């Protein structure tokens, strides 16, 4: 049994506010937004974290960044600017072990992040 929260969102077992999808990737609103725009872009297949995306997933990586581009255009943060964040492991505070690309925008973002 797959207990992964984001796999359940992909399967439609848990609701999410989708903003973009194709055969390989899904983008949906973060349930606890840290900025006016906070979207998660995920592969539909399960990958635990960024360390398991290798060369053979090159086409998937292209799809992920195409989704980022589409989402930022659709939500009008492509001109004002945005940040893409991937947390991996304990020090980065990864809570969901299905790789996800945070897309944050709609306000001035601080640097460095906390
Ligand atoms: P991370 O700390 O990088 O693993 O981020 C996990 C993110 O998933 C957090 O920003 C959460 O707010 C978000 N999240 C958790 N559950 C859900 C959900 N059911 N729908 C949308 N986003 C979620
Ligand atoms: Zn998963």
């Amino acid at each position: 049994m797959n207990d992964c929260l984001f796999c359940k969102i992909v399967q439609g077992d848990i609701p999410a506010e989708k903003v973009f999808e194709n055969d390989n990737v899904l983008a949906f609103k973060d349930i606890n937004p840290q900025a006016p725009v906070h979207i998660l872009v995920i592969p539909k297949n399960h990958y635990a974290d960024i360390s398991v995306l290798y060369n053979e997933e090159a086409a998937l990586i292209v799809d992920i960044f195409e989704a980022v581009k589409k989402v930022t255009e659709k939500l009008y943060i492509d001109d004002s600017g945005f940040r893409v964040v991937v947390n991996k492991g304990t020090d980065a505070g990864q809570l969901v072990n299905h790789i996800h690309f945070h897309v944050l925008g709609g306000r001035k973002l601080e640097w460095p992040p906390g």
Side-chain angles (χ1 to χ4, degrees), residues 33-102:
Q34 301 302 311
V37 175
H38 187 173
I39 304 299
L40 302 176
V41 176
I42 66 170
K44 288 188 172 177
N45 289 333
H46 184 90
Y47 295 83
D49 60 51
I50 198 161
S51 67
V52 293
L53 281 184
Y54 292 104
N55 289 343
E56 56 264 39
E57 279 88 16
L60 174 60
I61 294 166
V62 170
D63 266 13
I64 288 168
F65 281 93
E66 278 183 6
V68 169
K69 180 171 164 55
K70 289 206 160 76
V71 161
T72 58
E73 288 169 354
K74 192 169 181 179
L75 299 177
Y76 307 109
I77 55 169
D78 51 330
D79 283 340
S80 52
F82 58 89
R83 184 172 293 162
V84 179
V85 175
V86 180
N87 293 318
K88 144 75 178 162
T90 309
D91 276 359
Q94 183 180 6
L95 295 175
V96 179
N97 292 319
H98 180 134
I99 189 174
H100 45 284
F101 292 70
H102 297 259

Side-chain angles (χ1 to χ4, degrees), residues 15-31:
E17 214 173 318
K18 296 178 185 178
V19 292
F20 174 80
E21 78 176 306
N22 67 18
D23 286 348
N24 302 314
V25 301
L26 174 65
F28 54 95
K29 292 189 178 175
D30 195 293
I31 205 169

